[in-house]
mmCIF file of all heavy atoms in Angstrom:
data_model
loop_
_atom_site.group_PDB
_atom_site.id
_atom_site.type_symbol
_atom_site.label_atom_id
_atom_site.label_comp_id
_atom_site.label_asym_id
_atom_site.label_seq_id
_atom_site.Cartn_x
_atom_site.Cartn_y
_atom_site.Cartn_z
ATOM 1 N N LEU A 32 -47.799 -31.592 -8.705
ATOM 2 C CA LEU A 32 -47.525 -32.934 -8.170
ATOM 3 C C LEU A 32 -46.936 -32.823 -6.762
ATOM 4 O O LEU A 32 -47.296 -33.555 -5.848
ATOM 5 C CB LEU A 32 -46.531 -33.675 -9.069
ATOM 6 C CG LEU A 32 -47.039 -34.111 -10.444
ATOM 7 C CD1 LEU A 32 -45.877 -34.539 -11.330
ATOM 8 C CD2 LEU A 32 -48.050 -35.242 -10.309
ATOM 9 N N ASN A 36 -48.995 -33.560 -3.085
ATOM 10 C CA ASN A 36 -48.416 -34.776 -2.519
ATOM 11 C C ASN A 36 -48.897 -36.010 -3.285
ATOM 12 O O ASN A 36 -49.326 -37.000 -2.709
ATOM 13 C CB ASN A 36 -48.805 -34.870 -1.033
ATOM 14 C CG ASN A 36 -47.746 -35.637 -0.256
ATOM 15 O OD1 ASN A 36 -46.751 -36.084 -0.841
ATOM 16 N ND2 ASN A 36 -47.973 -35.803 1.023
ATOM 17 N N ASP A 37 -48.817 -35.906 -4.577
ATOM 18 C CA ASP A 37 -49.321 -36.943 -5.468
ATOM 19 C C ASP A 37 -48.762 -38.322 -5.107
ATOM 20 O O ASP A 37 -47.575 -38.480 -4.853
ATOM 21 C CB ASP A 37 -48.934 -36.587 -6.913
ATOM 22 C CG ASP A 37 -49.562 -37.513 -7.920
ATOM 23 O OD1 ASP A 37 -50.674 -37.206 -8.376
ATOM 24 O OD2 ASP A 37 -48.933 -38.538 -8.242
ATOM 25 N N ALA A 38 -49.656 -39.308 -5.105
ATOM 26 C CA ALA A 38 -49.260 -40.642 -4.658
ATOM 27 C C ALA A 38 -48.279 -41.310 -5.621
ATOM 28 O O ALA A 38 -47.430 -42.103 -5.213
ATOM 29 C CB ALA A 38 -50.494 -41.521 -4.501
ATOM 30 N N THR A 39 -48.393 -41.008 -6.886
ATOM 31 C CA THR A 39 -47.516 -41.637 -7.864
ATOM 32 C C THR A 39 -46.204 -40.870 -8.006
ATOM 33 O O THR A 39 -45.144 -41.436 -8.203
ATOM 34 C CB THR A 39 -48.207 -41.696 -9.243
ATOM 35 O OG1 THR A 39 -49.515 -42.230 -9.054
ATOM 36 C CG2 THR A 39 -47.433 -42.560 -10.207
ATOM 37 N N GLY A 40 -46.292 -39.545 -7.935
ATOM 38 C CA GLY A 40 -45.085 -38.723 -8.084
ATOM 39 C C GLY A 40 -44.861 -38.291 -9.516
ATOM 40 O O GLY A 40 -43.986 -37.480 -9.798
ATOM 41 N N PHE A 41 -45.609 -38.847 -10.437
ATOM 42 C CA PHE A 41 -45.589 -38.348 -11.814
ATOM 43 C C PHE A 41 -46.981 -38.487 -12.385
ATOM 44 O O PHE A 41 -47.834 -39.181 -11.801
ATOM 45 C CB PHE A 41 -44.547 -39.072 -12.667
ATOM 46 C CG PHE A 41 -44.753 -40.555 -12.814
ATOM 47 C CD1 PHE A 41 -45.561 -41.084 -13.815
ATOM 48 C CD2 PHE A 41 -44.128 -41.444 -11.942
ATOM 49 C CE1 PHE A 41 -45.744 -42.452 -13.944
ATOM 50 C CE2 PHE A 41 -44.306 -42.816 -12.072
ATOM 51 C CZ PHE A 41 -45.115 -43.327 -13.070
ATOM 52 N N ASP A 42 -47.241 -37.832 -13.507
ATOM 53 C CA ASP A 42 -48.571 -37.823 -14.099
ATOM 54 C C ASP A 42 -48.701 -39.002 -15.052
ATOM 55 O O ASP A 42 -48.055 -39.050 -16.094
ATOM 56 C CB ASP A 42 -48.756 -36.493 -14.854
ATOM 57 C CG ASP A 42 -50.170 -36.328 -15.366
ATOM 58 O OD1 ASP A 42 -50.812 -37.367 -15.666
ATOM 59 O OD2 ASP A 42 -50.615 -35.175 -15.475
ATOM 60 N N LYS A 43 -49.552 -39.967 -14.677
ATOM 61 C CA LYS A 43 -49.650 -41.210 -15.449
ATOM 62 C C LYS A 43 -50.141 -40.965 -16.872
ATOM 63 O O LYS A 43 -49.726 -41.647 -17.810
ATOM 64 C CB LYS A 43 -50.579 -42.205 -14.748
ATOM 65 C CG LYS A 43 -49.873 -42.937 -13.623
ATOM 66 C CD LYS A 43 -50.800 -43.975 -13.020
ATOM 67 C CE LYS A 43 -50.069 -44.866 -12.041
ATOM 68 N NZ LYS A 43 -50.969 -45.575 -11.143
ATOM 69 N N VAL A 122 -43.393 -50.034 -14.950
ATOM 70 C CA VAL A 122 -42.323 -49.211 -14.380
ATOM 71 C C VAL A 122 -41.272 -50.148 -13.784
ATOM 72 O O VAL A 122 -41.594 -51.064 -13.040
ATOM 73 C CB VAL A 122 -42.875 -48.249 -13.302
ATOM 74 C CG1 VAL A 122 -41.724 -47.551 -12.576
ATOM 75 C CG2 VAL A 122 -43.805 -47.221 -13.931
ATOM 76 N N ASP A 160 -38.059 -44.233 -8.258
ATOM 77 C CA ASP A 160 -39.410 -44.705 -8.601
ATOM 78 C C ASP A 160 -39.748 -46.052 -7.974
ATOM 79 O O ASP A 160 -40.650 -46.761 -8.444
ATOM 80 C CB ASP A 160 -39.598 -44.771 -10.132
ATOM 81 C CG ASP A 160 -39.619 -43.380 -10.761
ATOM 82 O OD1 ASP A 160 -40.056 -42.432 -10.071
ATOM 83 O OD2 ASP A 160 -39.194 -43.239 -11.913
ATOM 84 N N HIS A 162 -41.290 -46.855 -5.283
ATOM 85 C CA HIS A 162 -42.610 -47.031 -4.672
ATOM 86 C C HIS A 162 -43.702 -47.345 -5.679
ATOM 87 O O HIS A 162 -44.780 -47.781 -5.307
ATOM 88 C CB HIS A 162 -42.985 -45.773 -3.882
ATOM 89 C CG HIS A 162 -43.325 -44.615 -4.774
ATOM 90 N ND1 HIS A 162 -42.439 -44.120 -5.696
ATOM 91 C CD2 HIS A 162 -44.465 -43.899 -4.905
ATOM 92 C CE1 HIS A 162 -43.025 -43.127 -6.346
ATOM 93 N NE2 HIS A 162 -44.245 -42.977 -5.885
ATOM 94 N N VAL A 163 -43.464 -47.110 -6.970
ATOM 95 C CA VAL A 163 -44.483 -47.419 -7.980
ATOM 96 C C VAL A 163 -43.977 -48.453 -8.975
ATOM 97 O O VAL A 163 -44.644 -48.734 -9.972
ATOM 98 C CB VAL A 163 -44.918 -46.149 -8.757
ATOM 99 C CG1 VAL A 163 -45.814 -45.287 -7.884
ATOM 100 C CG2 VAL A 163 -43.722 -45.374 -9.263
ATOM 101 N N ARG A 199 -41.710 -45.613 0.660
ATOM 102 C CA ARG A 199 -41.512 -44.412 -0.141
ATOM 103 C C ARG A 199 -40.761 -43.365 0.665
ATOM 104 O O ARG A 199 -41.088 -43.102 1.819
ATOM 105 C CB ARG A 199 -42.862 -43.857 -0.564
ATOM 106 C CG ARG A 199 -42.765 -42.613 -1.412
ATOM 107 C CD ARG A 199 -44.137 -42.066 -1.758
ATOM 108 N NE ARG A 199 -44.013 -40.944 -2.685
ATOM 109 C CZ ARG A 199 -45.039 -40.239 -3.136
ATOM 110 N NH1 ARG A 199 -46.263 -40.541 -2.754
ATOM 111 N NH2 ARG A 199 -44.859 -39.245 -3.967
ATOM 112 N N ASN A 207 -39.210 -39.303 -5.982
ATOM 113 C CA ASN A 207 -39.266 -40.446 -5.096
ATOM 114 C C ASN A 207 -38.052 -41.326 -5.246
ATOM 115 O O ASN A 207 -37.575 -41.563 -6.342
ATOM 116 C CB ASN A 207 -40.502 -41.268 -5.412
ATOM 117 C CG ASN A 207 -41.701 -40.376 -5.483
ATOM 118 O OD1 ASN A 207 -42.214 -39.947 -4.466
ATOM 119 N ND2 ASN A 207 -42.112 -40.058 -6.708
#
Side-chain angles (χ1 to χ4, degrees):
Chain A
L32 290 167
N36 208 0
D37 187 90
T39 311
F41 61 87
D42 187 330
K43 279 184 171 162
V122 172
D160 291 330
H162 72 302
V163 285
R199 181 182 186 182
N207 311 284

